[in-house]
Amino acid sequence: MAFRAAARPLRRLGARGAQVLAKHPRPVALAAGSLVAGGFAASTLSPARCDSALVDISSLTKVAKIDDVGLLPQPTNPKYKTALVQIYVDSQPFGGSDKSNSGHRYDSIPIANGMIASNMSCQLLHYVPSEHEKFFKVMEGFDAIIVRCNPGQINAAGGDQMKFDESMRALQKKGIQVWPSPDVMTNMGAKDALCKIANLAIGLPDTLAYYSKEALEEGFKKTMAFQPRVIKQ
């Protein structure tokens, strides 16, 4: 959800704004006029040059039930190779409330297309816990990894979130960018994170968090009288 909302302010900010946003974590708003999320900047990457167009992912299970409809053609000579990692929870409808019937997150194709439009390849993958070792071996072929797994979904799919996070940290130590990193999610993953950046250039001063029923009733009614609000629990 945050990435869809972030697309609008990122376009307005342009390349310079994207570089600024890349330095800050990507939170989700609790109650705000609109959402702002951290962006990705190619300038933060420092990978080796690409020797082939795409990373070979044929050894991994393809989870998406429908082909990548809407995905732009991958660049033939990408500046960087990126992967967008998702998780499919078999016990939940569509693989999770963040998924469409394709098995992809609603925002996966638009995010990948944004990378492709910037001359970076972006391959859509699903993390399958039973393929953990093989999966992270394949990840070593990428320059950057976009992690789009909702909190709790890896454990719900039979995996181990801590094991997943440690493997992502190991990739970071090898110089591979991970967006967001496990440590960023730990420190800035709470939904009140936008309140902490409300007065920065990338924040909104009317972003508020409510910690009691009374505060919500009083504050939310006042802000609703001013303009429509986005609320997250």
Side-chain angles (χ1 to χ4, degrees), residues 63-141:
V63 175
K65 299 176 180 177
I66 301 176
D67 289 339
D68 304 331
V69 176
L71 186 67
L72 294 174
Q74 301 284 354
T76 56
N77 186 27
K79 187 175 182 179
Y80 303 110
K81 301 175 184 179
T82 69
L84 191 151
V85 176
Q86 310 162 91
I87 182 77
Y88 190 94
V89 183
D90 289 324
S91 62
Q92 298 178 7
F94 301 114
S97 60
D98 57 335
K99 310 294 192 309
S100 71
N101 64 353
S102 69
H104 290 305
R105 286 177 58 99
Y106 291 104
D107 54 7
S108 293
I109 298 294
I111 293 171
N113 283 343
M115 306 299 282
I116 293 170
S118 297
N119 197 33
M120 292 179 277
S121 64
C122 190
Q123 294 169 257
L124 303 179
L125 306 172
H126 285 79
Y127 170 67
V128 177
S130 62
E131 297 178 350
H132 180 90
E133 300 300 332
K134 180 167 55 177
F135 180 87
F136 277 95
K137 186 64 178 178
V138 171
M139 292 302 98
E140 293 179 3

Side-chain angles (χ1 to χ4, degrees), residues 1 3 15 17 30 37 41 52 81 86 132 140 146 198 226 233:
M1 295 292 291
F3 274 92
L30 177 62
S52 60
K81 301 175 184 179
Q86 310 162 91
H132 180 90
E140 293 179 3
I146 306 168
F226 173 67
Q233 183 177 355

